[in-house]
Amino acid sequence: MTPIDTGSLVPPPTLPAPFDAWFAARGWSLRRHQAELLEAARAGRSVLLVAPTGAGKTLAGFLPSLVAIAEDPRPRLHTLYISPLKALAVDIHRNLEAPIAEMGLGVRAETRTGDTPASKRRRQRSDPPHLLLTTPESLALLLSYPDAGALFGELACVVVDEAHALAGTKRGDLLALGLARLAALAPNARRVGLSATVADPPMLARWLSAGLSRPADIVLGAAGAKPQVTIVNPAARVPWSGHGAVHALPEVYMALKNAQAAIVFVNTRAQAEICFRELWKLNDDNLAIALHHGSLAAEQRRRVEAAMAAGKLRAVVATSSLDLGIDWGNVDLVVQVGAPKGASRLLQRLGRANHRLDDASRALLVPGNRFEMLECVAAIAAVAADELDRLPERPGAFDVLAQHLLGMACAGPFDADAAYAQTVATLPYAALSRADFDAVLDYVATGGYALAGYERYRRLVRDATGHWCVADPLFVRQYRMNIGTIVEEPMLHVAFKRGKRLGSIEEYFALGLEIGDTFAFAGQILRFEGLRDGTLEVSKAASAEQPKVPVYAGGRMPFTSELAARVRALLQDPSAWSGFPADVREWLHLQRKRSQMPDRTGLLVETFPRDGRWFLVAYCFAGRNAHQSLGMLLTRRMARAGLRPIGFVASDYAIAVWSGKHVERPSELFAEDMLGDDLEEWLAESAMLKRSFRNVAVIAGLIERRHPGQEKSGRQVTFSSDLIYDVLRKHQPGHVLLKAARADADAGMIDLARLAQMLKAARGRISHRSLARVSPLAVPILLEVGRESVQGSAPDEWLADAAAAQALIDEAGFEDDDPQQTLF
């Protein structure tokens, strides 16, 4: 996998006349990396192309296929394009239609996603287009049909766009297994990976070409113009806490007025609703501003995408639903509201502006609080230094493999030995033992010995030849209705009474509403009218001072280790603070005076008394999930030591614990052995593993979200999964799905590896500052919303109002701050 460095423009290689004329009419020449991909295709080689936005990656990926189809236009599925986003597949299809029509190629290109009508999906299997643009889930569905061999038999190429967004995830596991199936059905098909943001191209190339006879070449495109990234300079003071950045939206609105078109990115769907609503209040110029996120109805998302592509919108407020590869040529500004949480994510979003290699992307970052100001500065430096976040390395998930094996059986009987060989040919499952594979297969076939007595879990049987096949056609229907690895919280549809559907919100939020309550959704203020047949019926509300905003579980983005290291370095370098707003500079300098700054690798722990309590604040910079886990473990240890812990709060940057007694020797609390018995005892008592098991059980097909003729409510799914979890814990503690649930919890909600890394780095390097009062750096964490009580104690309301918060700020030495302007 020797990288091929490419750059300058070269005369195009020999192309069919229509292509030659098309390039000439535009005054274009092939870039070297595009020519390299043409040559690789002619030689039948697989390629990973890493090139910046605007370098023509999409053209490079599709041009060899268009040339091949033009030379041999026989009806068959020639190229399969796989995108992580439905919106990206639709956008790429839209961009392909023009050159296909202008060159008169007679090439059929179509999309296939969950939004594609059923009649069209059926026709595509019997009469496939030359180019099919789809998602990993739709590919898995196609592979589950008995006619998959006929459909994919003449497949010549698989293009995986934004490959870095899939590798290292469960969706990537599903796709890797699907690619292995395709290799068996179409052994001559080559693979092309496209990506703009990769820290480790060789690893991604191995993931892409695993199982092929020859590893993928790596083609590196020339670097484009450096992006122009600035941080908003608001008239208001930078808030201490919060993430909405409402204080700076007047400046954002002015930037939108001066832009041709812009995408305003936020990190969560709730933030998208708030940001859109606040911008609309400022919209005295009636700018065309739209909203786009994954919980909106598909029709609304498609209308927004079409309007943006047609140049009819000035701006769209969006989440990660528009992160990847969307090419709207008139977009000349990207706004990031809230910290980006990672350099790769920021660079990915920057690429949505100015899709021209030699023109700089222009972006405006809008930090929501003072720590986010540091994070934004660190992210800009990381992008300038081409320092990207590394992809997570994790073994393939058992629950995804279980889903895949059932899908194989839906397509027809399979041999276990051949299926194992096919599985370990993928990179995620390369180290999978035969014993673990057999355990997963046994689960799919019988449910495992603890569940084997129930007929509903006996989904596979062996035929006369010893091959595994589906025991009942009902299981085939269940599989196809529940395919995929994205497990959202239970959702309810939102629709006007006897009117159009607006989208979906999580069931737990809906069940907390009372008739007449107002909430912000789909860019509108809605009034709750009632619940009927699983649909939340609403009407338009005239206005509301403080409407509720649906919050979606799992919406927070992880704070990467690489960016955290840069933030720590920034805190240690006062010479880099000169460009900060005055109030942020004052905050940092006063911290140095009153206490000290966290260093680059050790752990700063501050303790101080306040309001009859003792506080411990640790600046770990390990991310919210690791800090939440640390908080639970610390409070257990503190309780055992008689320190009377009351509660804790965690952010991406720090953790604060308050207790009835002073912690005199914090180093005794932050020992690595807390990840032993303390961790196991906490997990045994908490609901975390049950929640993780619920998601695993859904993916593995143990519990169906949807059943032929019905759909389960969230309470039914949770009740079923909790019962099964308890049965397995008691009767089969080694069950493969319990192992999968623990692995998921360790990697996700607990973030065990990062927590262990932090504790190891802190060993012997804990700096304890015993203070007389709260430090400046501790103020933001103490103002964080979402505090937790310990072991069922009453909620702690000691900091619930603005007056108490202002007293905290005054105590830290900032008597001139206006609480209404600086808190949130």
Side-chain angles (χ1 to χ4, degrees), residues 263-340:
I263 302 178
V264 181
F265 281 113
V266 295
N267 292 338
T268 69
R269 286 169 280 185
Q271 286 177 328
E273 294 283 353
I274 294 170
C275 182
F276 177 82
R277 183 162 59 93
E278 294 298 324
L279 284 174
W280 201 254
K281 291 178 184 178
L282 299 169
N283 193 8
D284 295 334
D285 303 275
N286 289 320
L287 303 181
I289 303 175
L291 176 66
H292 191 289
H293 61 71
S295 290
L296 299 179
E299 312 85 68
Q300 179 169 338
R301 296 198 306 268
R302 285 196 294 265
R303 284 197 300 271
V304 171
E305 293 159 17
M308 199 68 177
K312 296 179 180 179
L313 296 178
R314 179 64 63 89
V316 58
V317 178
T319 60
S320 55
S321 59
L322 294 181
D323 258 5
L324 302 171
I326 304 296
D327 183 5
W328 293 326
N330 63 331
V331 172
D332 61 347
L333 175 67
V334 163
V335 180
Q336 168 65 46
V337 175

Side-chain angles (χ1 to χ4, degrees), residues 274-604:
I274 294 170
C275 182
F276 177 82
R277 183 162 59 93
E278 294 298 324
L279 284 174
W280 201 254
K281 291 178 184 178
L282 299 169
N283 193 8
D284 295 334
D285 303 275
N286 289 320
L287 303 181
I289 303 175
L291 176 66
H292 191 289
H293 61 71
S295 290
L296 299 179
E299 312 85 68
Q300 179 169 338
R301 296 198 306 268
R302 285 196 294 265
R303 284 197 300 271
V304 171
E305 293 159 17
M308 199 68 177
K312 296 179 180 179
L313 296 178
R314 179 64 63 89
V316 58
V317 178
T319 60
S320 55
S321 59
L322 294 181
D323 258 5
L324 302 171
I326 304 296
D327 183 5
W328 293 326
N330 63 331
V331 172
D332 61 347
L333 175 67
V334 163
V335 180
Q336 168 65 46
V337 175
K341 300 302 170 188
S344 294
R345 184 175 299 112
L346 175 59
L347 188 60
Q348 186 75 54
R349 291 181 166 182
L350 291 178
R352 308 287 64 80
N354 265 348
H355 271 64
R356 293 174 294 279
L357 183 64
D358 300 323
D359 291 341
S361 297
R362 190 164 60 95
L364 180 67
L365 305 190
V366 189
N369 59 57
R370 300 185 181 198
F371 266 114
E372 285 194 353
M373 174 67 73
L374 305 179
E375 190 179 330
C376 286
V377 172
I380 291 174
V383 168
D386 294 321
E387 180 185 290
L388 301 179
D389 309 307
R390 298 184 69 84
L391 296 173
E393 294 188 28
R394 42 169 289 280
F398 289 163
D399 50 343
V400 178
L401 177 58
Q403 184 181 115
H404 173 74
L405 291 175
L406 182 57
M408 288 184 67
C410 292
F414 68 85
D415 174 69
D417 293 339
Y420 175 67
Q422 197 178 96
T423 300
V424 296
T426 69
L427 186 63
Y429 295 95
L432 181 72
S433 70
R434 182 58 191 257
D436 282 339
F437 175 85
D438 288 340
V440 175
L441 179 56
D442 178 62
Y443 153 71
V444 179
T446 69
Y449 73 77
L451 302 176
Y454 300 90
E455 187 175 350
R456 61 182 299 184
Y457 301 122
R458 297 200 294 269
R459 292 176 289 178
L460 300 185
V461 295
R462 277 181 163 155
D463 63 14
T465 66
H467 288 63
W468 291 97
C469 53
V470 177
D472 189 293
L474 175 65
F475 296 127
V476 177
R477 296 196 296 274
Q478 290 176 354
Y479 168 82
R480 292 177 182 153
M481 292 181 66
N482 292 279
I483 202 166
T485 65
I486 300 174
V487 182
E488 292 190 317
E489 294 298 308
M491 309 289 279
L492 292 178
H493 298 316
V494 180
F496 289 120
K497 294 186 72 173
R498 295 174 295 279
K500 71 174 182 178
R501 183 181 161 222
L502 299 174
S504 303
I505 61 174
E506 290 187 0
E507 184 180 79
Y508 89 94
F509 174 81
L511 295 178
L513 293 174
E514 297 181 359
I515 302 296
D517 282 352
T518 59
F519 63 98
F521 183 70
Q524 306 176 64
I525 305 300
L526 305 174
R527 183 183 189 274
F528 175 47
E529 301 291 353
L531 188 63
R532 186 174 68 173
D533 298 331
T535 295
L536 204 72
E537 292 191 329
V538 298
S539 61
K540 283 189 177 182
S543 64
E545 286 297 317
Q546 292 294 330
K548 298 180 179 181
V549 178
V551 177
Y552 299 84
R556 288 195 180 104
M557 293 179 169
F559 181 41
T560 66
S561 300
E562 293 84 358
L563 194 55
R566 281 192 169 269
V567 171
R568 296 178 75 127
L570 191 62
L571 288 170
Q572 282 289 308
D573 183 12
S575 66
W577 303 350
S578 59
F580 292 169
D583 50 343
V584 176
R585 291 199 308 272
E586 178 192 13
W587 172 54
L588 297 178
H589 283 297
L590 194 56
Q591 171 67 19
R592 293 184 74 201
K593 179 180 178 181
R594 295 275 177 82
S595 178
Q596 71 181 62
M597 283 296 180
D599 67 22
R600 293 171 184 257
T601 55
L603 177 63
L604 171 63

Side-chain angles (χ1 to χ4, degrees), residues 160-221:
V160 181
D161 206 352
E162 307 292 356
H164 65 278
L166 292 166
T169 69
K170 286 195 176 186
R171 294 185 79 205
D173 294 347
L174 185 66
L175 177 56
L177 293 167
L179 291 175
R181 284 284 312 281
L182 287 176
L185 299 174
N188 295 322
R190 60 190 182 85
R191 298 176 193 168
V192 176
L194 306 176
S195 183
T197 52
V198 185
D200 187 358
M203 188 280 285
L204 188 58
R206 290 195 301 273
W207 178 86
L208 175 71
S209 59
L212 299 182
S213 59
R214 173 187 170 123
D217 294 336
I218 300 174
V219 174
L220 304 178

